[in-house]
């Protein structure tokens, strides 16, 4: 599923990043394949903090014994390769790749540089996502059929309503949890909310999961209305709760008075 083209700022970026990595000692005969298999490929479709986004692809991998002096962009790298090809006859022999061993450890270290295609979601940017799940408290959507986006009920239009005619049907999900299968959201025209929605990114939380496998966690909170409308809806909700609480308190007070009056009448 390709992202739709628009006049808004693109969330896709090309970053060239260098890392000082180690490779298994059993892969010394082919360090290039080892770096791709053990270091770069596990980063795909995960949040990578140095890139400040999700890695979608990588290419133009280079290994070196020393760190690159100046980071090169993808365009500069392509132009450099073109110049090298045009001057292939005069090019000097490439320097041998030297891997560094630290103390008694068998795994050697090497500098790996690659160009990454990064998806970097930011606040107040818009994406088109597909509705995948609905509940009374939120709606879950999928962007590029991969990244989940959650929209809370407080971030939906105030004229949307929850259709709860078929609630109560429980379904066991893939992770073993029970979810309410019935019910769906209805828009102001009375139509079921489904398909693709244009979502404003409200908050993004990206961090490593701490499992040491190169995997990353990305949480995206979306909204279908502006921040002003969210605050207005919250104020209206608080006002309704206050009125309901006052009504309940007044009813309890009136009930106590009636009990006292009835008791005094029976004594007479």
């Amino acid at each position: 599923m390709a992202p739709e083209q628009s006049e808004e700022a693109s969330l896709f970026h090309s970053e060239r990043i260098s890392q000082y990595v180690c490779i298994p000692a059993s892969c010394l005969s082919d360090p290039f394949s080892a770096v791709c298999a053990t270091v770069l490929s596990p980063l795909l479709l995960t949040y990578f903090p140095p890139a400040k986004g999700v890695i979608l692809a990588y290419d133009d991998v280079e290994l070196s014994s020393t760190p690159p002096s100046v980071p090169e962009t993808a365009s500069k790298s392509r132009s450099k390769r073109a110049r090298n090809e045009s001057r292939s006859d005069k090019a000097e022999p490439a320097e041998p790749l030297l891997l560094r061993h630290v103390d008694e450890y068998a795994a050697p270290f090497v500098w790996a540089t690659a160009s990454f295609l990064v998806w970097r979601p930011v606040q107040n940017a818009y994406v088109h996502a597909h509705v995948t799940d609905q509940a009374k408290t939120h709606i879950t959507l999928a962007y590029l059929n991969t990244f989940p986006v959650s929209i809370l009920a407080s971030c939906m239009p105030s004229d949307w309503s929850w259709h709860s005619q078929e609630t109560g049907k429980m379904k066991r999900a893939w992770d073993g949890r029970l979810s309410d299968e019935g019910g769906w959201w209805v828009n102001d025209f009375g139509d079921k909310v489904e398909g693709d929605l244009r979502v404003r990114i409200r908050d993004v939380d990206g961090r490593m999961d701490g499992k040491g496998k190169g995997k990353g966690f990305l949480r995206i909170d979306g909204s279908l209305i502006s921040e002003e409308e969210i605050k207005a809806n919250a104020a209206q909700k608080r006002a309704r709760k206050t009125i309901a609480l006052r009504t309940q308190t007044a009813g309890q007070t009136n009930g106590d008075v009636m009990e006292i009056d009835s008791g005094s009448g029976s004594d007479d």
Side-chain angles (χ1 to χ4, degrees):
M1 178 180 178
E4 296 185 6
Q5 300 294 330
S6 65
E7 298 179 356
E8 301 172 356
S10 176
L11 301 180
F12 298 90
H13 305 269
S14 178
E15 295 285 345
R16 189 155 181 83
I17 300 176
S18 298
Q19 305 177 72
Y20 194 51
V21 300
C22 66
I23 60 176
S26 59
C27 301
L28 292 179
S29 60
D30 191 1
F32 184 87
S33 299
V35 169
C36 292
T38 62
V39 178
L40 301 180
S41 292
L43 297 177
L44 295 176
L45 298 182
T46 62
Y47 183 82
F48 188 40
K52 299 180 180 179
V54 178
I55 302 299
L56 301 181
Y58 69 88
D59 64 351
D60 194 13
V61 181
E62 295 181 357
L63 304 183
S64 59
S65 306
T66 57
S69 56
V70 179
E72 297 178 348
T73 60
S75 58
K76 290 183 179 180
S77 179
R78 286 192 293 267
S79 61
K80 181 180 179 181
R81 289 199 305 270
R83 291 195 303 268
N84 291 340
E85 292 176 358
S86 62
R87 298 182 302 177
S88 58
D89 297 338
K90 301 180 181 180
E92 298 179 356
E95 296 182 359
L97 178 63
L98 301 178
L99 283 69
R100 181 183 180 185
H101 288 268
V102 179
D103 297 333
E104 70 276 10
Y105 295 100
F109 287 81
V110 66
W111 281 95
T113 305
S115 297
F116 295 94
L117 176 61
V118 184
W119 178 57
R120 190 177 297 160
V122 295
Q123 290 184 350
N124 296 323
Y126 286 88
V127 296
H128 291 267
H130 187 79
V131 177
T132 58
D133 187 36
Q134 301 189 36
K136 187 176 182 180
T137 56
H138 68 282
I139 290 179
T140 302
L141 305 93
Y143 177 64
L144 297 181
N145 202 29
T146 303
F147 307 106
V149 181
S150 179
I151 302 178
L152 298 178
S154 58
C155 299
M156 301 179 194
S158 58
D159 51 6
W160 283 20
S161 59
W162 173 250
H163 192 283
S164 58
Q165 181 177 354
E166 298 184 7
T167 55
K169 293 184 178 181
M170 305 306 294
K171 178 181 179 182
R172 187 175 297 276
W174 62 270
D175 56 357
R177 298 181 180 180
L178 293 176
S179 60
D180 193 346
E181 189 180 20
W184 56 85
W185 283 93
V186 177
N187 59 21
D188 54 339
F189 297 104
D191 300 328
K192 180 180 178 181
V193 176
E194 56 185 354
D196 294 340
L197 298 178
R198 187 172 182 265
V199 183
R200 178 177 63 87
I201 298 178
R202 190 166 182 248
D203 189 22
V204 180
D205 181 19
R207 58 179 175 80
M208 298 301 290
D209 62 1
K211 296 182 179 180
K213 296 182 180 180
K215 297 294 182 181
F217 168 81
L218 181 68
R219 178 182 60 82
I220 302 176
D221 294 335
S223 176
L224 298 175
I225 56 179
S226 63
E227 290 296 325
E228 291 74 13
E229 291 176 300
I230 294 176
K231 294 179 181 179
N233 292 344
Q236 293 178 1
K237 186 176 181 180
R238 288 193 299 268
R240 288 194 297 267
K241 286 185 177 181
T242 302
I243 295 174
L245 182 60
R246 290 178 179 176
T247 303
Q248 182 180 3
T249 304
Q252 292 177 353
T253 303
N254 294 335
D256 294 340
V257 172
M258 292 298 295
E259 291 178 1
I260 294 174
D261 293 343
S262 61
S264 59
S266 60
D267 291 338
D268 294 340

Coordinates of all heavy atoms in Angstrom, one line a residue, residues 125-192:
A125 N 0.7 16.3 12.1 CA 0.7 15.8 10.7 C -0.5 15.0 10.4 O -1.0 14.4 11.3 CB 2.0 15.1 10.4
Y126 N -0.9 14.9 9.2 CA -2.0 14.1 8.8 C -1.6 12.8 8.0 O -0.7 12.9 7.2 CB -3.0 14.9 8.0 CG -3.8 16.0 8.8 CD1 -3.2 17.2 9.0 CD2 -5.0 15.7 9.3 CE1 -3.9 18.2 9.7 CE2 -5.7 16.6 10.1 CZ -5.1 17.9 10.3 OH -5.8 18.8 11.0
V127 N -2.3 11.7 8.3 CA -2.1 10.5 7.6 C -3.5 9.9 7.3 O -4.5 10.2 7.9 CB -1.3 9.5 8.4 CG1 0.1 10.0 8.7 CG2 -2.0 9.2 9.7
H128 N -3.5 9.1 6.2 CA -4.8 8.4 5.9 C -4.6 6.9 6.3 O -3.7 6.2 5.9 CB -5.0 8.4 4.4 CG -5.3 9.8 3.9 ND1 -6.6 10.2 3.7 CD2 -4.6 10.8 3.5 CE1 -6.7 11.5 3.3 NE2 -5.4 11.9 3.1
A129 N -5.5 6.5 7.3 CA -5.4 5.2 7.9 C -6.7 4.5 7.7 O -7.8 5.1 7.5 CB -5.0 5.3 9.3
H130 N -6.7 3.1 7.8 CA -7.8 2.3 7.6 C -8.3 1.8 8.9 O -7.5 1.3 9.8 CB -7.5 1.1 6.7 CG -8.7 0.3 6.3 ND1 -9.5 0.7 5.3 CD2 -9.1 -0.9 6.7 CE1 -10.5 -0.2 5.1 NE2 -10.3 -1.2 6.0
V131 N -9.6 1.8 9.1 CA -10.3 1.4 10.4 C -10.2 -0.1 10.5 O -10.6 -0.9 9.5 CB -11.7 1.8 10.5 CG1 -12.4 1.3 11.7 CG2 -11.8 3.3 10.4
T132 N -9.6 -0.7 11.6 CA -9.5 -2.1 11.8 C -10.3 -2.6 12.9 O -10.6 -3.8 13.0 CB -8.0 -2.5 12.0 OG1 -7.5 -1.7 13.1 CG2 -7.2 -2.1 10.7
D133 N -10.5 -1.8 14.0 CA -11.2 -2.3 15.1 C -11.9 -1.1 15.8 O -11.5 0.1 15.7 CB -10.2 -2.9 16.1 CG -11.0 -3.5 17.3 OD1 -12.0 -4.1 17.1 OD2 -10.4 -3.5 18.4
Q134 N -13.1 -1.4 16.4 CA -13.9 -0.3 17.0 C -14.3 -0.8 18.4 O -14.7 -2.0 18.6 CB -15.1 0.0 16.2 CG -14.8 0.5 14.8 CD -16.0 1.1 14.1 OE1 -16.9 1.7 14.7 NE2 -16.1 0.9 12.8
A135 N -14.3 0.1 19.4 CA -14.8 -0.1 20.7 C -15.5 1.2 21.2 O -15.3 2.2 20.6 CB -13.7 -0.5 21.6
K136 N -16.2 1.1 22.3 CA -16.9 2.2 22.8 C -15.9 3.3 23.3 O -16.3 4.5 23.3 CB -17.8 1.8 24.0 CG -18.7 2.9 24.5 CD -19.6 2.4 25.6 CE -20.5 3.5 26.1 NZ -21.4 3.0 27.2
T137 N -14.7 2.9 23.6 CA -13.7 3.9 24.2 C -12.8 4.4 23.1 O -12.2 5.5 23.3 CB -12.9 3.3 25.3 OG1 -12.3 2.1 24.8 CG2 -13.8 2.9 26.5
H138 N -12.6 3.7 22.0 CA -11.6 4.2 21.0 C -11.9 3.5 19.7 O -12.7 2.5 19.6 CB -10.2 3.8 21.5 CG -9.9 2.4 21.6 ND1 -10.4 1.6 22.6 CD2 -9.2 1.6 20.7 CE1 -10.0 0.3 22.4 NE2 -9.3 0.3 21.3
I139 N -11.1 3.9 18.7 CA -11.1 3.3 17.3 C -9.6 3.0 17.0 O -8.7 3.9 17.2 CB -11.7 4.2 16.3 CG1 -13.2 4.3 16.4 CG2 -11.4 3.7 14.9 CD1 -13.9 5.2 15.4
T140 N -9.3 1.9 16.5 CA -8.0 1.5 16.0 C -7.9 1.5 14.5 O -8.8 0.9 13.9 CB -7.6 0.2 16.6 OG1 -7.7 0.2 18.0 CG2 -6.1 -0.2 16.2
L141 N -6.9 2.1 14.0 CA -6.7 2.2 12.5 C -5.3 1.7 12.2 O -4.4 1.6 13.1 CB -6.8 3.6 12.0 CG -8.1 4.3 12.3 CD1 -8.0 5.2 13.6 CD2 -8.6 5.2 11.1
A142 N -5.0 1.3 10.9 CA -3.7 0.9 10.5 C -3.3 1.8 9.4 O -4.0 2.0 8.4 CB -3.8 -0.6 10.0
Y143 N -2.0 2.3 9.5 CA -1.4 3.1 8.5 C -0.4 2.3 7.7 O 0.4 1.6 8.3 CB -0.7 4.3 9.2 CG 0.0 5.2 8.2 CD1 -0.7 5.9 7.2 CD2 1.4 5.3 8.2 CE1 0.0 6.7 6.3 CE2 2.1 6.2 7.3 CZ 1.4 6.8 6.4 OH 2.0 7.6 5.5
L144 N -0.5 2.3 6.4 CA 0.3 1.5 5.5 C 0.1 0.0 5.8 O 1.0 -0.8 5.6 CB 1.8 1.9 5.6 CG 2.1 3.3 5.2 CD1 3.6 3.5 5.3 CD2 1.7 3.6 3.7
N145 N -1.1 -0.3 6.4 CA -1.4 -1.7 6.7 C -0.4 -2.3 7.7 O -0.3 -3.5 7.8 CB -1.4 -2.6 5.5 CG -2.3 -3.8 5.6 OD1 -3.2 -3.8 6.4 ND2 -1.9 -4.9 4.9
T146 N 0.3 -1.4 8.5 CA 1.3 -1.9 9.4 C 1.3 -1.2 10.7 O 1.4 -1.9 11.8 CB 2.7 -1.7 8.7 OG1 2.8 -2.4 7.5 CG2 3.8 -2.3 9.6
F147 N 1.2 0.1 10.7 CA 1.4 0.8 12.0 C 0.1 1.2 12.6 O -0.8 1.8 11.9 CB 2.2 2.1 11.7 CG 3.5 1.9 11.0 CD1 3.7 2.2 9.7 CD2 4.6 1.3 11.7 CE1 4.9 2.0 9.0 CE2 5.8 1.0 11.0 CZ 5.9 1.4 9.7
P148 N -0.2 0.8 13.8 CA -1.5 1.1 14.5 C -1.6 2.5 14.9 O -0.6 3.1 15.4 CB -1.5 0.1 15.7 CG -0.1 -0.1 16.0 CD 0.7 0.0 14.7
V149 N -2.8 3.1 14.8 CA -3.1 4.4 15.2 C -4.4 4.3 16.1 O -5.4 3.8 15.6 CB -3.3 5.4 14.0 CG1 -3.6 6.8 14.6 CG2 -2.1 5.4 13.1
S150 N -4.3 4.9 17.3 CA -5.5 4.8 18.2 C -6.1 6.2 18.3 O -5.4 7.2 18.5 CB -5.0 4.3 19.5 OG -6.1 4.2 20.4
I151 N -7.4 6.2 18.2 CA -8.2 7.4 18.4 C -9.2 7.2 19.6 O -10.1 6.4 19.5 CB -9.0 7.8 17.1 CG1 -8.0 8.0 16.0 CG2 -9.8 9.1 17.4 CD1 -8.7 8.3 14.7
L152 N -9.0 8.0 20.6 CA -9.9 7.9 21.8 C -11.3 8.5 21.5 O -11.4 9.4 20.5 CB -9.3 8.6 23.0 CG -8.0 8.0 23.5 CD1 -7.5 8.9 24.7 CD2 -8.2 6.6 23.9
A153 N -12.3 8.1 22.2 CA -13.6 8.7 22.0 C -13.7 10.2 22.2 O -14.5 10.9 21.5 CB -14.6 8.0 22.9
S154 N -12.8 10.7 23.1 CA -12.8 12.1 23.3 C -12.2 12.9 22.2 O -12.3 14.1 22.1 CB -12.0 12.4 24.6 OG -10.7 11.9 24.5
C155 N -11.6 12.2 21.2 CA -10.9 12.9 20.1 C -11.7 12.6 18.8 O -11.2 12.8 17.7 CB -9.5 12.4 19.9 SG -8.4 12.7 21.3
M156 N -13.0 12.2 18.9 CA -13.9 12.1 17.8 C -14.9 13.2 17.8 O -15.1 13.9 18.8 CB -14.6 10.7 17.9 CG -13.7 9.5 18.0 SD -14.7 8.0 18.1 CE -13.4 6.8 18.6
P157 N -15.5 13.4 16.6 CA -16.6 14.5 16.5 C -17.7 14.2 17.6 O -18.1 13.1 17.8 CB -17.1 14.3 15.1 CG -15.9 13.8 14.3 CD -15.3 12.8 15.3
S158 N -18.2 15.3 18.1 CA -19.2 15.2 19.2 C -20.5 14.7 18.7 O -21.3 14.2 19.5 CB -19.4 16.6 19.8 OG -19.8 17.5 18.8
D159 N -20.8 14.8 17.4 CA -22.0 14.2 16.8 C -21.9 12.8 16.4 O -22.9 12.2 15.9 CB -22.5 15.1 15.6 CG -21.4 15.3 14.6 OD1 -20.3 14.6 14.7 OD2 -21.6 16.0 13.6
W160 N -20.8 12.1 16.7 CA -20.7 10.7 16.5 C -21.3 10.0 17.7 O -21.2 10.5 18.8 CB -19.3 10.3 16.3 CG -18.7 10.6 14.9 CD1 -19.2 11.5 14.0 CD2 -17.6 10.0 14.3 NE1 -18.5 11.5 12.9 CE2 -17.4 10.6 13.1 CE3 -16.7 9.0 14.7 CZ2 -16.4 10.3 12.2 CZ3 -15.6 8.7 13.9 CH2 -15.5 9.3 12.6
S161 N -21.9 8.8 17.5 CA -22.5 8.1 18.6 C -22.1 6.6 18.4 O -21.8 6.1 17.4 CB -24.0 8.2 18.5 OG -24.6 7.7 17.3
W162 N -22.2 5.9 19.6 CA -21.8 4.5 19.7 C -23.1 3.7 19.5 O -24.0 3.8 20.3 CB -21.1 4.2 21.0 CG -20.8 2.7 21.2 CD1 -21.4 1.9 22.1 CD2 -19.9 1.9 20.5 NE1 -20.9 0.7 22.1 CE2 -20.0 0.6 21.1 CE3 -19.0 2.1 19.5 CZ2 -19.2 -0.4 20.6 CZ3 -18.2 1.1 19.0 CH2 -18.3 -0.2 19.6
H163 N -23.1 2.8 18.5 CA -24.2 1.9 18.2 C -24.0 0.6 19.0 O -23.1 -0.2 18.6 CB -24.3 1.6 16.7 CG -25.6 1.0 16.3 ND1 -25.9 -0.3 16.5 CD2 -26.7 1.5 15.7 CE1 -27.1 -0.6 16.1 NE2 -27.6 0.5 15.6
S164 N -24.8 0.5 20.1 CA -24.5 -0.7 21.0 C -25.6 -1.7 20.9 O -25.8 -2.4 21.9 CB -24.4 -0.1 22.4 OG -25.6 0.6 22.8
Q165 N -26.2 -1.9 19.8 CA -27.3 -2.9 19.7 C -26.8 -4.3 19.9 O -27.5 -5.1 20.5 CB -28.0 -2.7 18.4 CG -29.2 -3.7 18.2 CD -29.9 -3.5 16.9 OE1 -29.6 -2.5 16.2 NE2 -30.9 -4.3 16.6
E166 N -25.6 -4.6 19.4 CA -25.1 -5.9 19.4 C -23.9 -6.1 20.3 O -23.1 -7.0 20.2 CB -24.7 -6.4 18.0 CG -25.8 -6.4 17.0 CD -25.4 -6.9 15.6 OE1 -24.2 -7.4 15.5 OE2 -26.2 -6.8 14.7
T167 N -23.8 -5.3 21.3 CA -22.7 -5.4 22.3 C -23.0 -6.7 23.2 O -24.2 -7.1 23.3 CB -22.6 -4.2 23.2 OG1 -23.9 -3.9 23.8 CG2 -22.2 -3.0 22.4
G168 N -22.0 -7.2 23.8 CA -22.1 -8.3 24.6 C -21.6 -9.6 23.9 O -21.4 -10.6 24.6
K169 N -21.3 -9.5 22.6 CA -20.7 -10.7 22.0 C -19.2 -10.7 22.2 O -18.5 -9.7 21.8 CB -21.0 -10.6 20.5 CG -22.4 -10.8 20.1 CD -22.6 -10.9 18.6 CE -24.0 -11.1 18.2 NZ -24.2 -11.2 16.7
M170 N -18.7 -11.7 22.9 CA -17.3 -11.7 23.2 C -16.5 -12.6 22.2 O -17.0 -13.6 21.8 CB -17.1 -12.2 24.7 CG -17.9 -11.5 25.7 SD -17.6 -9.7 25.7 CE -15.9 -9.7 26.2
K171 N -15.3 -12.1 21.9 CA -14.4 -12.8 21.0 C -13.0 -12.9 21.5 O -12.5 -11.9 22.1 CB -14.4 -12.1 19.6 CG -13.5 -12.8 18.6 CD -13.6 -12.0 17.3 CE -12.7 -12.6 16.2 NZ -12.7 -11.8 15.0
R172 N -12.4 -14.0 21.5 CA -11.0 -14.2 21.9 C -10.1 -13.8 20.8 O -10.1 -14.4 19.8 CB -10.8 -15.6 22.4 CG -9.4 -15.8 23.1 CD -9.3 -17.2 23.6 NE -10.2 -17.5 24.7 CZ -10.1 -17.2 25.9 NH1 -9.0 -16.5 26.3 NH2 -11.0 -17.4 26.8
A173 N -9.2 -12.8 21.1 CA -8.3 -12.3 20.1 C -7.1 -13.2 20.0 O -6.9 -14.2 20.8 CB -7.8 -10.9 20.5
W174 N -6.1 -12.9 19.1 CA -4.9 -13.7 18.9 C -4.1 -13.8 20.2 O -3.3 -14.8 20.4 CB -4.1 -13.2 17.8 CG -3.6 -11.8 18.0 CD1 -4.3 -10.6 17.7 CD2 -2.4 -11.4 18.6 NE1 -3.5 -9.5 18.0 CE2 -2.3 -10.0 18.6 CE3 -1.3 -12.1 19.1 CZ2 -1.3 -9.3 19.1 CZ3 -0.2 -11.4 19.6 CH2 -0.2 -10.0 19.6
D175 N -4.1 -12.7 21.0 CA -3.3 -12.7 22.2 C -3.9 -13.3 23.4 O -3.4 -13.3 24.5 CB -2.8 -11.3 22.5 CG -4.0 -10.4 22.7 OD1 -5.1 -10.8 22.5 OD2 -3.8 -9.2 23.0
G176 N -5.1 -13.9 23.2 CA -5.8 -14.6 24.3 C -6.8 -13.7 25.1 O -7.5 -14.1 25.9
R177 N -6.8 -12.4 24.8 CA -7.7 -11.5 25.5 C -9.1 -11.5 24.9 O -9.3 -11.7 23.7 CB -7.1 -10.0 25.4 CG -5.8 -9.9 26.0 CD -5.3 -8.4 25.9 NE -4.0 -8.2 26.5 CZ -3.4 -7.0 26.6 NH1 -4.0 -6.0 26.0 NH2 -2.2 -6.9 27.2
L178 N -10.1 -11.2 25.8 CA -11.5 -11.2 25.3 C -11.8 -9.8 25.0 O -11.6 -8.8 25.7 CB -12.4 -11.7 26.4 CG -12.3 -13.2 26.8 CD1 -13.2 -13.6 28.0 CD2 -12.6 -14.1 25.6
S179 N -12.5 -9.6 23.8 CA -12.9 -8.3 23.4 C -14.3 -8.3 23.0 O -14.9 -9.3 22.6 CB -12.0 -7.8 22.2 OG -12.2 -8.7 21.1
D180 N -15.0 -7.1 23.1 CA -16.4 -7.0 22.8 C -16.5 -6.9 21.3 O -16.0 -5.9 20.7 CB -17.0 -5.7 23.5 CG -18.5 -5.7 23.4 OD1 -19.0 -6.5 22.6 OD2 -19.1 -4.9 24.2
E181 N -17.1 -7.8 20.7 CA -17.2 -7.9 19.2 C -18.3 -7.0 18.7 O -18.3 -6.5 17.5 CB -17.4 -9.3 18.7 CG -17.3 -9.5 17.2 CD -17.5 -10.9 16.8 OE1 -18.1 -11.7 17.6 OE2 -17.0 -11.3 15.7
G182 N -19.4 -6.8 19.4 CA -20.5 -6.0 18.9 C -20.3 -4.5 19.1 O -19.5 -4.1 19.9
G183 N -21.1 -3.8 18.3 CA -21.1 -2.3 18.4 C -20.2 -1.7 17.4 O -19.2 -2.3 16.9
W184 N -20.6 -0.4 17.0 CA -19.8 0.3 16.1 C -20.1 1.8 16.2 O -21.1 2.2 16.8 CB -20.0 -0.1 14.6 CG -21.4 -0.1 14.2 CD1 -22.1 1.0 13.7 CD2 -22.4 -1.1 14.3 NE1 -23.4 0.7 13.4 CE2 -23.6 -0.6 13.8 CE3 -22.3 -2.5 14.7 CZ2 -24.7 -1.4 13.7 CZ3 -23.5 -3.2 14.6 CH2 -24.6 -2.7 14.1
W185 N -19.2 2.6 15.7 CA -19.5 4.1 15.7 C -20.3 4.5 14.5 O -20.1 4.0 13.4 CB -18.1 4.8 15.8 CG -17.5 4.8 17.2 CD1 -16.6 3.9 17.6 CD2 -17.8 5.7 18.2 NE1 -16.3 4.2 18.9 CE2 -17.0 5.3 19.3 CE3 -18.6 6.8 18.4 CZ2 -17.0 5.9 20.6 CZ3 -18.6 7.5 19.6 CH2 -17.8 7.0 20.7
V186 N -21.1 5.5 14.7 CA -22.0 6.0 13.6 C -21.7 7.5 13.5 O -21.7 8.2 14.6 CB -23.5 5.8 13.9 CG1 -24.4 6.4 12.9 CG2 -23.7 4.3 14.0
N187 N -21.5 8.0 12.3 CA -21.3 9.5 12.1 C -22.5 10.3 12.1 O -23.6 9.7 12.4 CB -20.5 9.7 10.8 CG -21.2 9.2 9.6 OD1 -22.4 9.0 9.6 ND2 -20.5 8.9 8.5
D188 N -22.4 11.6 11.8 CA -23.6 12.5 11.9 C -24.6 12.2 10.8 O -25.8 12.6 10.9 CB -23.1 13.9 11.8 CG -22.2 14.2 10.6 OD1 -21.7 13.2 10.1 OD2 -22.1 15.3 10.2
F189 N -24.2 11.4 9.8 CA -25.2 11.1 8.7 C -25.9 9.7 9.0 O -26.7 9.3 8.2 CB -24.5 11.0 7.4 CG -23.9 12.3 6.9 CD1 -22.5 12.5 7.0 CD2 -24.7 13.3 6.4 CE1 -22.0 13.7 6.6 CE2 -24.1 14.5 6.0 CZ -22.8 14.7 6.1
G190 N -25.5 9.1 10.1 CA -26.1 7.8 10.5 C -25.4 6.6 9.8 O -25.9 5.5 9.9
D191 N -24.3 6.9 9.2 CA -23.5 5.8 8.5 C -22.5 5.2 9.5 O -21.9 5.9 10.3 CB -22.8 6.3 7.3 CG -23.8 6.9 6.2 OD1 -25.0 6.3 6.2 OD2 -23.5 7.8 5.5
K192 N -22.2 3.9 9.3 CA -21.2 3.3 10.1 C -19.8 3.8 9.7 O -19.5 4.0 8.6 CB -21.3 1.7 9.9 CG -20.2 1.0 10.7 CD -20.3 -0.5 10.4 CE -19.3 -1.3 11.1 NZ -19.4 -2.8 10.8

